[in-house]
């Protein structure tokens, strides 16, 4: 680690105008300090300085776990849901905004989790499907004035169709090749968004997208149904909450079905799975398309919430961010992905002053996670062999 | 016809840049089967080191050849060391874990380096000194600038040197044998860790040279310039048959040509798309590439 810092130093200190150490130093000492603190903590932990602290915590955690398992999962789920429903009434606009952002990424992360976590295919172009969904709703809304609720499944379908097309070409590849092809595909999609002026308005993006609307009974004059645009943030919040709940249930059900087991079998050993009679090609294609559908739905919501889409929102960096959520939280586990999304979206909001370092930390965390805890923060119960050689 | 020849020259210039970057990908992939996502960042870092030292030397009144060769050597040496450090930190501990972990680690490293570059060097383009790049030969209306000549000849030199290194020296022999079977070559006394480090260093050095060339050719460098050329160079490496050095060179030239001709004759806006389409097409129809008949036998 120290090697890297020593070597990075000259590049950072030198500028064409001459040596300019001040600004560089201000950047670098923070990073170096952060890393060395982590390192020291790790060292101390390994020699057992924190035992007096971690042991009681650990036993408490075990006790909590026992208590939580005695109360059925459903109760916890309902408590959580109740909190989520009450959330907009408890917190202000800013917190709601952050929460909405988080939930969009939870949707995306769960979708990607199907592809990466369950089926074990590294997809670096996931954001393309998010983009496809967003543009589908944007175009349908602006040109044909079709309502959000109709467009939501349509967006999912378009994203799924796109995934089918690219998946059909690339499912025979494994590992690295698949990663690079999906990355290439995402770049192609972004370039098409960027250059197809007549349809997508190029880099300027599409404006004037309608917010989702609902019919609300109005009792003032007998009973009529009034069409209401959900422009208020707290109402938008409920839309995404519903989407997240739907996604969680769907992913959970998929995970615990025959299909989910087939996916996990493919992840563990594709050849063995094929020998056991799993149609690996179709299963992988199915995983890819299902994941893309959730991405497309999240995309449609994103378009409806921002009421603006542009190719800028669908770059490779976004893909990497969603991927790092899945990896950070624990590939294949639903609570893990939710935790990952919360960590990567909500924490930077708290440490607003370090905004610039966000992506830097993403990159560093991704590498460090792979080095020290490749299975993520909350690994799934049906565990995978993280250290298996491909 | 003149337009065609002009495009041909431009294509060769761009192709030689891609070929240099692709070599790094192909060598690393050949030896440890890893797509080194951070490779594009070595390319960008090389461009930055180049611009820094070139403007420094120029402001000290050094002659042009000193500026060029000095900054080239410095950038290559620096990026080689950087690559070795990255390899030690991010890849070596993961030698025996799953492919997915290593790939994600590489991706994380790429984001880390790119953002480190952005934070310390700023988000704006950094301009290369233009004095060195003026002038050229003219044949009718076809123009071959000194810059293009420099790029092409330097690439040719580096490629010949690399071929010599890999196919004629002891170290090249060790690299080839490590690529074929790591355990067996360790048994006969080859230090495979050292060989892997060297492979990273050589690849990154070539990428740094390419970074300087691109900086000189387009006149500026940017912190995120490593990404797209990196992917295109990977496409080139795959096109030529990954792990195959000659293949990577040929692939690089093909991708460069295709890009320039597609931009010239079909559509400039979609020029980046063609490289990706070729990548997907090649992987679909001929996963082992043009030169690689069987990936296992032809690595490095």
């Amino acid at each position: 680690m120290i090697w890297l810092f020593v070597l990075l130093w000259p590049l950072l200190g030198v500028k064409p105008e001459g040596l300019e150490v001040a600004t560089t130093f201000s950047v670098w000492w923070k990073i170096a300090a952060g890393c060395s603190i982590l390192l020291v903590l790790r060292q101390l932990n390994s020699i057992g300085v924190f035992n007096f602290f971690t042991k009681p915590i650990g036993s408490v955690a075990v006790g909590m776990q026992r208590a939580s398992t005695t109360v059925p999962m459903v109760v916890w789920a309902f408590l959580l849901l109740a909190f989520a429903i009450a959330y907009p009434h408890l917190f202000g606009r800013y917190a709601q905004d952050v929460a909405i952002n988080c939930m969009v990424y939870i949707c995306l992360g769960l979708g990607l989790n199907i592809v990466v976590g369950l089926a074990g295919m590294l997809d670096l172009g996931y954001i393309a499907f998010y983009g496809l969904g967003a543009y589908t709703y944007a175009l349908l809304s602006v040109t044909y004035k079709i309502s959000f609720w109709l467009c939501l499944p349509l967006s999912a379908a378009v994203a799924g169709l796109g995934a089918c097309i690219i998946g059909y070409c690339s499912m025979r590849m494994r590992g690295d090749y698949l990663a690079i092809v999906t990355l290439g595909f995402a770049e192609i999609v972004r370039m098409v968004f960027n250059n197809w002026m007549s349809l997508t308005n190029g880099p300027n993006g599409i404006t004037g997208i309608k917010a989702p609307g609902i019919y609300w009974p109005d009792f003032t004059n007998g009973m009529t149904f009034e069409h209401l645009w959900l422009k208020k943030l707290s109402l938008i919040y409920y839309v995404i909450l519903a989407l997240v709940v739907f996604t969680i249930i769907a992913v959970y059900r998929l995970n615990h079905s025959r299909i989910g087991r087939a996916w996990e079998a493919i992840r563990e050993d594709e050849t063995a799975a094929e020998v056991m009679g799993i149609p690996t090609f179709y299963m992988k294609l199915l995983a890819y398309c299902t994941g893309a559908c959730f991405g497309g739905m999240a995309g449609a919501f994103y378009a409806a919430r921002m009421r603006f889409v542009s190719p800028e929102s669908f770059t490779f960096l976004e893909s990497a961010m969603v991927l790092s959520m899945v990896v950070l939280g624990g590939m294949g586990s639903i609570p893990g992905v939710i935790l990952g999304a919360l960590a990567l979206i909500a924490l930077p909001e708290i440490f607003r002053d370090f905004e610039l370092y966000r992506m830097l930390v993403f990159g560093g965390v991704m590498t460090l996670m792979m080095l020290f805890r490749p299975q993520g923060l909350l690994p799934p119960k049906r565990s995978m062999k993280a250290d298996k050689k491909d | 016809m003149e337009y065609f020849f002009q495009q041909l020259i431009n294509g060769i210039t761009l192709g030689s840049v891609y070929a240099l970057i692709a070599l790094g990908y192909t060598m690393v992939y050949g030896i440890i089967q890893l797509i080194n996502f951070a490779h594009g960042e070595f390319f960008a870092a090389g461009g930055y080191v180049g611009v820094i030292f070139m403007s420094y030397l120029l402001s000290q009144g050094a002659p042009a050849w000193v500026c060029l060769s000095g900054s080239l050597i410095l950038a290559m040496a620096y990026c080689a060391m950087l690559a070795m450090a990255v390899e030690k930190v991010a890849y070596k501990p993961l030698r025996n874990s799953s492919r997915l972990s290593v790939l994600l680690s590489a991706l994380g490293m790429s984001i880390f380096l790119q953002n480190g570059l952005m934070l310390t060097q700023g988000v704006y383009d950094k301009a290369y000194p233009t004095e060195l790049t003026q002038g050229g030969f003219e044949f009718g209306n076809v123009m071959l600038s000194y810059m293009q000549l420099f790029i092409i000849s330097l690439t040719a030199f580096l490629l010949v040197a690399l071929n010599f290194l890999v196919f004629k020296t002891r170290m090249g022999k060790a690299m080839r044998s490590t690529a074929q079977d790591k355990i067996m070559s360790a048994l006969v006394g080859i230090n495979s860790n050292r060989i892997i480090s060297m492979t990273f260093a050589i690849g990154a050095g070539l990428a740094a040279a390419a970074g300087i060339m691109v900086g000189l050719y387009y006149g500026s460098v940017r912190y995120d310039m490593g990404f797209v050329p990196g992917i295109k160079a990977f496409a080139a490496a795959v096109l030529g048959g990954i792990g195959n050095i000659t293949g990577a060179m040929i692939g690089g030239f093909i991708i460069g040509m295709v890009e320039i001709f597609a931009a010239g004759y079909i559509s400039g806006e979609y020029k980046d798309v063609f490289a990706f389409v070729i990548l997907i097409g090649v992987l679909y129809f001929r996963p082992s590439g043009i030169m690689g008949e069987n990936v296992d036998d032809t690595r490095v």
Side-chain angles (χ1 to χ4, degrees), chain B residues 120-157:
Chain B
T120 50
Q121 298 289 338
V123 287
Y124 302 110
D125 291 17
K126 198 146 271 186
Y128 256 79
T130 48
E131 301 92 294
L132 303 170
T133 59
Q134 281 157 358
F137 304 104
E138 272 184 56
F139 311 98
N141 284 332
V142 183
M143 169 97 172
L144 172 66
S145 70
Y146 290 138
M147 204 60 257
Q148 287 172 324
L149 195 65
F150 171 70
I151 291 176
I152 295 169
S153 51
L154 182 62
T155 305
F157 169 72

Side-chain angles (χ1 to χ4, degrees), chain A residues 50-66:
Chain A
F50 298 120
N51 273 357
F52 71 93
F53 179 69
T54 46
K55 275 224 174 107
I57 293 269
S59 57
V60 167
V62 169
M64 290 260 286
Q65 214 160 31
R66 202 167 298 143

Side-chain angles (χ1 to χ4, degrees), chain B residues 15-16 18 32 46 58 62 93 103 118 123 127 135 147 162 188 239-242 244 251 254 271 281-282:
Chain B
S16 46
Y18 288 154
I32 52 172
L58 212 61
L103 209 58
M118 179 193 82
V123 287
M147 204 60 257
L162 182 76
V188 296
L239 183 63
I242 193 140
N244 185 317
I254 291 175
K271 71 181 165 73
V282 169

Side-chain angles (χ1 to χ4, degrees), chain A residues 7 11-12 122 169 172 176, chain B residues 78 98-99 103 120-121 284:
Chain A
L7 279 166
L11 177 63
L12 304 163
L122 188 55
C169 303
R172 290 194 310 184
D176 313 345
Chain B
Y78 175 76
S98 77
R99 293 279 281 282
L103 209 58
T120 50
Q121 298 289 338
Y284 187 62

